[in-house]
Amino acid sequence: MLEKTYQPAEIEKRIYQAWESAGAFRAGRPERAAAKPYCIAIPPPNVTGSLHMGHALNNTLQDVLCRFERMRGKDVLWQPGTDHAGIATQMVVERKLAGENRTDRRTMGRQAFVAEVWKWKAESGGMILNQLKRLGASCDWSRERFTMDEGLSRAVIEVFVELYRKGLIYKDKRLVNWDPRFQSAISDLEVMQVEVKGHLWHLRYPLAEDPSRFIVVATTRPETMLGDTAVAVHPEDERYKALVGKTVVLPLVGRRIPIVADEHSDPEKGSGAVKITPAHDFNDFEVGRRHDLAMINVLAADATLNENAPEAYRGLDRFEARSRIVADLDALGLVEKIEPHTHAVPHGDRSNVPIEPWLTDQWYVNAAELAKDAIAAVEDGRTVFVPKNWEKTYFEWMRNIQPWCISRQLWWGHQIPAWYGPDGEIFVDETENLALAAAQRHYGARVNLERDPDVLDTWFSSALWPFSTLGWPARTPELERYYPTDVVVTGFDIIFFWVARMMMMGLHFQGEVPFRDIYIHALVRDEKGQKMSKSKGNIMDPLDLIDAYGADALRFTLAAMAAQGRDIKLARSRVEGYRNFATKLWNAARFAEMNECVRVEGFDPASARQTVNRWIAGETERTAKAVTAALEAYKFNEAASAVYEFTWGIFCDWYLELVKPVLGGTDEEAKAETRAMVAWTLDQVLKLLHPFMPFITEELWAHMIEPGVGRDALLALSAWPELDGLADPAAGEELGWVVHLVSEVRSVRAEMNVPAAAKVPLVLVGSSEPVRRRSERHQETIGRLARLSAISFEDAPPRAAALIAFGETTAALPLAGVIDMKAERARLQREMEKAAGDVHKIDAKLANAQFLAKAPAEVVDEQRERKAELEALSARLATALGRLED
């Protein structure tokens, strides 16, 4: 017997252990050897990570797809694993060493420090994978990979060597995002923009030919002016045309620098002249290349001023140097003005220090060349974005792609397989011995080589994930069977950093796209539409929600709200609401159990003779087709909505209520058929709900059978409902009429504040003979569900009644003596007037350009949503008022 109340904490761990013990999630099960493969490679979470709401959404959607396709009979591989997360992991271990008062990594040395990281990984890394199990993730855990395991490391080395030999990896001196704290290049994704209240300094640069004349330039970083190598003006700016080609003297340095004409300068901004510092600004770097300017780096790796700065500033921290430089310029009369200036300053997302554009030697991938095939693959439809509008973003990025900086000045990661000879000659090979052999051939003698100390960008190994996890560079059976994968599910923020790079690497090394579909989900925000952040204190922990309401409730909430292209506004109340849905399902199963509704072997729903049973069979078929079509189209919210409305609305609220008289009656043949149909329909409900709510459905699946009889298989491995031929139009029309009539009566009662206990008569007006016969057949059911005292037939509606009209049916509820009709009419009119007034106020706000400009987007959205709610309320009130018959 089922427990009286549904307690997810009591079943979830046990159910997951049952799945694992049965090998339910293993790919390559013998019985599916001939089945069509289906594969998703999990976006590998950081080994340092803990489950957050973005993970919960992303992995819920993947799990829905994997469970759906597994039930459709496919050989499903959901490939799990974690990313070594270079900077994040190195930082965690350095903090651990500091907390234990142990020596720092530089004193410890590289080999010992890396050993410490591996030790930490073995003890504490990968916690997030166990958290994913709590969510219900059905990965094939026997195939778990790590971006630095032996096989994936071999793949990384092979890719680097091959691309280097083809000239697609090279070393170059370019600007990078430089983190002075970590003293490493970092990716754009690791840079966050922080709004800072700073200053804009307007500086005078004297003309070399006439020091009494100046060009004024403005900067937010005066310390970089020591590396200026030009001043740029717009070629069409009449003010400066005569000065182009002349020079200014760089203050404090004395260096003569040219005035160049370049469209980078905006004549509408400031003086129209800009200082050009190619070694410390990304835009200036490009100007420098166009005009063949010198690139003078004035900062050291730790952001102190280096030997290229005047002696007075060498060794100073960049911010101390800034103050000194401004003071010295002011003393020379070269500061025209200083303005308060609020602007975004790039910071390292982990170091929390301002990032410097820094000129340094790094390793690069020729991304523009690799992007060509990746662009073509989306253009010709080999890979499809869902929603399709993300293709535009992808193409914009890919067609304007820059060289990809892949080297990082860290110790934790894949060390670059490059060695340097005594004269700086580079030898790239799979192993040091091969590099030594190549060096011996080059020099004609054995020489000592020094390995490049840098490691590869974490995204480099992640780019290989769809095929390296399947065993490449070996041609494994898994690679042959599961590549290309079917879909990648990810957020829009890593389309460029991960998705595009997987496309490039997959096409280059496998000759095929890495996935057929790219599903881009939206962000999970708080209930007001604000982005979750620690500073706002609005973070919702998925594990807390699982503890409170169960994994199924959280999963269903996320899936039900995952509309394509729309951010999720997550409220705790929504999760609680879907916990109530799970309880509703549990109680429906208990009702079935108490009424001996157990699965009948060989029962054919098409054989049903009772109208109500033919109706529910058709509704079940319609729902199964709707859910299937929605999931095939990645419309998770539509699939969840269809199964929710069927389960709660049609099955629980209508069908089980409609069959109560049959189950409690004396017609044994009708009772037996209905019991079998209830059990069959509940089985279909459990199957359709399983991808969304796997724990409760698996538990109920095991219970809803005859005592002593086991199921043939776990629900997770059972067949998806593929129903056809069950629709009965006549039964659908008849029961649809009953449901519609009862619903309308209930609406009227609620709108008119009819007391719940009051039974009222129903008059069917001018009814046709078929409607009369139908109402007589279902008189007991309609009266019980609508709380009616009687049903009668009249040619005209009585006075003081509320009217109902749908299709060819007109009905009236005489309410005289039940409610005060005059007072009710006045109440409805007052509420309509109040709603109209509130709409008018909101319209005034939304018409105010100042409000729209200043108010946060979530506040504007909230006002629009409130307006829509009020308009819907007004429509309901108008309908209720229109029903009142004098």
Side-chain angles (χ1 to χ4, degrees):
M1 288 287 290
L2 286 170
E3 295 293 328
K4 185 175 182 180
T5 56
Y6 165 56
Q7 299 292 342
E10 293 179 9
I11 69 167
E12 289 178 357
K13 186 175 181 180
R14 171 170 49 81
I15 291 291
Y16 204 93
Q17 288 173 343
W19 288 328
E20 290 201 297
S21 298
F25 308 147
R26 281 182 177 261
R29 294 172 65 89
E31 69 272 18
R32 300 200 179 197
K36 185 178 179 182
Y38 182 86
C39 183
I40 297 178
I42 197 171
N46 286 354
V47 70
T48 58
S50 181
L51 192 73
H52 58 60
M53 203 57 77
H55 291 132
L57 170 64
N58 180 269
N59 287 282
T60 291
L61 300 184
Q62 290 176 81
D63 195 48
V64 168
L65 293 172
C66 286
R67 289 180 181 273
F68 169 59
E69 296 295 359
R70 194 178 287 118
M71 293 178 76
R72 294 219 286 180
K74 292 181 183 176
D75 175 22
V76 173
L77 169 58
W78 186 10
Q79 174 63 57
T82 50
D83 189 286
H84 65 276
I87 286 182
T89 306
Q90 183 161 314
M91 187 171 73
V92 165
V93 177
E94 287 194 72
R95 281 179 180 168
K96 178 176 178 287
L97 293 174
E100 296 170 353
N101 293 317
R102 294 170 64 189
T103 185
D104 64 29
R105 73 177 171 94
R106 296 192 186 280
T107 307
M108 178 180 284
R110 183 172 193 144
Q111 188 174 354
F113 177 75
V114 170
E116 282 290 329
V117 182
W118 278 110
K119 182 182 175 185
W120 173 87
K121 194 260 179 188
E123 293 171 354
S124 307
M127 174 180 67
I128 192 169
L129 297 183
N130 289 322
Q131 294 172 337
L132 286 174
K133 291 180 181 182
R134 288 202 62 196
L135 187 68
S138 62
C139 300
D140 184 346
W141 301 108
S142 69
R143 297 173 184 267
E144 182 187 328
R145 303 304 299 268
F146 177 53
T147 49
M148 280 188 63
D149 69 28
E150 185 180 347
L152 270 64
S153 295
R154 187 168 62 251
V156 167
I157 297 301
E158 183 152 329
V159 165
F160 186 96
V161 172
E162 180 176 326
L163 292 178
Y164 176 79
R165 288 174 179 167
K166 289 184 175 179
L168 294 169
I169 282 181
Y170 57 94
K171 204 162 189 185
D172 195 8
K173 187 181 285 289
R174 294 178 62 91
L175 282 188
V176 296
N177 295 311
W178 185 260
D179 189 314
R181 179 179 166 192
F182 291 124
Q183 294 188 29
S184 175
I186 62 173
S187 73
D188 289 346
L189 194 63
E190 294 163 314
V191 176
M192 60 180 181
Q193 299 297 329
V194 177
E195 195 171 87
V196 172
K197 290 182 178 178
H199 295 90
L200 190 62
W201 287 271
H202 296 259
L203 310 178
R204 295 171 176 156
Y205 285 12
L207 294 177
E209 66 179 25
D210 182 0
S212 65
R213 295 172 61 203
F214 306 93
I215 277 191
V216 176
V217 296
T219 180
T220 58
R221 298 157 67 216
E223 66 278 10
T224 64
M225 59 87 62
L226 303 177
D228 285 2
T229 55
V231 170
V233 297
H234 195 277
E236 303 302 321
D237 194 331
E238 294 294 337
R239 294 171 294 176
Y240 300 115
K241 274 192 174 181
L243 295 179
V244 172
K246 297 185 184 299
T247 59
V248 296
V249 176
L250 186 62
L252 305 179
V253 178
R255 185 169 59 244
R256 287 189 172 212
I257 60 175
I259 299 170
V260 300
D262 195 281
E263 291 185 353
H264 169 60
S265 176
D266 184 350
E268 302 300 319
K269 284 187 177 179
S271 69
V274 292
K275 61 190 281 299
I276 302 298
T277 321
H280 294 288
D281 182 277
F282 288 102
N283 290 321
D284 292 3
F285 179 80
E286 297 301 329
V287 175
R289 285 201 159 184
R290 287 196 289 271
H291 296 275
D292 197 24
L293 300 175
M295 300 196 181
I296 301 173
N297 188 350
V298 296
L299 293 177
D302 61 356
T304 58
L305 270 70
N306 66 14
E307 70 282 358
N308 293 326
E311 191 170 350
Y313 309 112
R314 290 175 194 168
L316 294 179
D317 173 77
R318 53 184 162 165
F319 299 116
E320 185 182 352
R322 177 180 297 179
S323 299
R324 292 240 198 131
I325 287 166
V326 170
D328 291 348
L329 288 169
D330 194 35
L332 294 170
L334 297 178
V335 177
E336 180 163 292
K337 61 179 176 178
I338 303 172
E339 296 176 313
H341 183 63
T342 300
H343 61 127
V345 175
H347 282 60
D349 66 346
R350 290 186 173 86
S351 66
N352 291 314
V353 301
I355 295 304
E356 288 292 341
W358 201 56
L359 188 64
T360 178
D361 289 312
Q362 300 286 346
W363 290 91
Y364 290 89
V365 171
N366 183 346
E369 184 60 34
L370 291 175
K372 291 175 183 175
D373 286 345
I375 292 169
V378 175
E379 285 176 333
D380 62 28
R382 279 174 285 161
T383 292
V384 175
F385 274 87
V386 182
K388 195 173 176 63
N389 61 286
W390 286 110
E391 285 184 6
K392 182 182 178 185
T393 302
Y394 174 82
F395 288 137
E396 284 175 358
W397 279 336
M398 296 294 270
R399 288 168 181 155
N400 296 284
I401 200 165
Q402 296 295 309
W404 172 18
C405 177
I406 56 170
S407 45
R408 298 290 182 267
Q409 289 63 54
L410 303 170
W411 286 358
W412 174 243
H414 298 100
Q415 192 171 354
I416 290 173
W419 287 262
Y420 300 96
D423 57 356
E425 184 71 21
I426 300 174
F427 299 92
V428 170
D429 228 314
E430 281 87 354
T431 66
E432 185 173 9
N433 285 337
L434 289 172
L436 285 167
Q440 186 170 354
R441 290 192 298 273
H442 176 78
Y443 293 111
R446 287 191 65 83
V447 295
N448 291 324
L449 298 180
E450 184 177 342
R451 188 167 185 178
D452 194 310
D454 291 354
V455 299
L456 287 163
D457 177 13
T458 299
W459 295 106
F460 189 87
S461 50
S462 299
L464 318 182
W465 189 251
F467 57 92
S468 64
T469 52
L470 298 175
W472 188 90
R475 297 307 301 183
T476 62
E478 290 83 1
L479 187 62
E480 295 293 335
R481 181 159 178 75
Y482 300 109
Y483 189 91
T485 67
D486 287 84
V487 61
V488 63
V489 178
T490 189
F492 66 85
D493 53 338
I494 55 174
I495 292 175
F496 177 71
F497 293 98
W498 189 45
V499 173
R501 288 164 179 172
M502 285 191 289
M503 288 287 287
M504 291 189 280
M505 293 298 191
L507 284 159
H508 186 84
F509 287 94
Q510 303 302 314
E512 279 192 270
V513 294
F515 22 73
R516 305 297 186 199
D517 295 330
I518 301 167
Y519 177 79
I520 303 297
H521 61 70
L523 289 176
V524 184
R525 299 180 179 273
D526 73 6
E527 59 186 301
K528 295 179 179 176
Q530 295 185 358
K531 194 171 181 178
M532 293 187 190
S533 69
K534 288 180 182 177
S535 61
K536 292 177 183 173
N538 63 347
I539 288 177
M540 298 177 74
D541 185 336
L543 296 174
D544 287 347
L545 293 173
I546 289 172
D547 288 339
Y549 305 113
D552 288 330
L554 175 61
R555 289 169 59 106
F556 200 90
T557 304
L558 294 171
M561 300 181 78
Q564 290 180 10
R566 190 189 313 153
D567 284 350
I568 291 173
K569 294 182 181 179
L570 185 64
R572 197 177 182 92
S573 59
R574 287 294 294 264
V575 186
E576 186 177 8
Y578 288 121
R579 158 63 198 262
N580 296 340
F581 174 53
T583 298
K584 182 86 169 180
L585 175 65
W586 187 270
N587 290 339
R590 288 187 69 242
F591 171 86
E593 186 179 61
M594 288 187 290
N595 283 277
E596 301 175 34
C597 302
V598 295
R599 181 169 173 263
V600 176
E601 192 67 37
F603 174 71
D604 180 5
S607 67
R609 300 178 65 184
Q610 299 293 312
T611 302
V612 69
N613 292 331
R614 296 200 308 275
W615 168 71
I616 197 63
E619 289 296 309
T620 305
E621 177 189 306
R622 179 185 60 77
T623 302
K625 288 180 176 178
V627 174
T628 301
L631 287 179
E632 287 176 339
Y634 303 107
K635 295 180 178 179
F636 298 96
N637 61 314
E638 292 183 15
S641 176
V643 70
Y644 176 88
E645 289 170 7
F646 175 75
T647 303
W648 189 308
I650 295 175
F651 179 66
C652 294
D653 280 0
W654 290 110
Y655 178 63
L656 295 184
E657 288 296 329
L658 291 169
V659 299
K660 279 181 180 177
V662 181
L663 295 174
T666 57
D667 186 334
E668 294 301 322
E669 186 178 342
K671 189 185 296 186
E673 176 189 292
T674 301
R675 282 172 171 162
M677 183 62 82
V678 169
W680 175 85
T681 306
L682 182 55
D683 270 6
Q684 310 317 304
V685 166
L686 297 179
K687 290 179 178 183
L688 294 171
L689 269 174
H690 181 74
F692 305 95
M693 306 180 88
F695 291 106
I696 188 174
T697 53
E698 191 73 72
E699 177 76 354
L700 293 176
W701 178 258
H703 274 85
M704 302 314 297
I705 51 173
E706 291 182 67
V709 178
R711 293 278 192 182
D712 295 335
L714 290 164
L715 177 56
L717 296 172
S718 297
W720 183 255
E722 293 183 0
L723 309 176
D724 202 25
L726 297 178
D728 183 329
E733 184 180 348
E734 179 148 331
L735 268 297
W737 181 85
V738 172
V739 167
H740 202 151
L741 178 61
V742 172
S743 298
E744 288 290 332
V745 172
R746 286 174 171 175
S747 293
V748 169
R749 293 178 66 108
E751 290 164 2
M752 305 299 177
N753 287 331
V754 175
K759 288 194 172 186
V760 296
L762 176 71
V763 178
L764 291 172
V765 181
S767 300
S768 64
E769 191 59 32
V771 168
R772 283 181 178 241
R773 287 199 300 271
R774 188 181 291 163
S775 65
E776 287 165 356
R777 279 196 298 273
H778 298 283
Q779 184 169 352
E780 186 279 333
T781 296
I782 296 168
R784 174 169 53 89
L785 297 180
R787 299 198 61 75
L788 302 176
S789 58
I791 299 176
S792 60
F793 305 93
E794 301 290 346
D795 293 331
R799 293 178 61 80
L803 295 182
I804 296 168
F806 65 92
E808 296 179 0
T809 300
T810 301
L813 283 178
L815 296 176
V818 180
I819 62 170
D820 184 329
M821 297 288 280
K822 184 177 180 182
E824 183 60 22
R825 188 177 286 106
R827 179 189 72 83
L828 291 170
Q829 285 173 332
R830 281 197 309 274
E831 289 194 21
M832 284 181 67
E833 288 166 6
K834 183 179 183 303
D838 290 344
V839 167
H840 180 72
K841 290 176 187 174
I842 293 173
D843 279 340
K845 272 188 184 178
L846 295 177
N848 185 331
Q850 206 169 11
F851 169 76
L852 294 176
K854 290 183 178 180
E858 58 267 18
V859 172
V860 176
D861 288 344
E862 194 176 324
Q863 290 294 310
R864 287 180 174 140
E865 288 171 11
R866 176 64 182 146
K867 179 185 174 183
E869 290 169 3
L870 288 166
E871 287 174 338
L873 173 64
S874 295
R876 291 196 301 273
L877 293 168
T879 299
L881 193 59
R883 293 186 196 277
L884 292 177
E885 182 78 9
D886 288 330

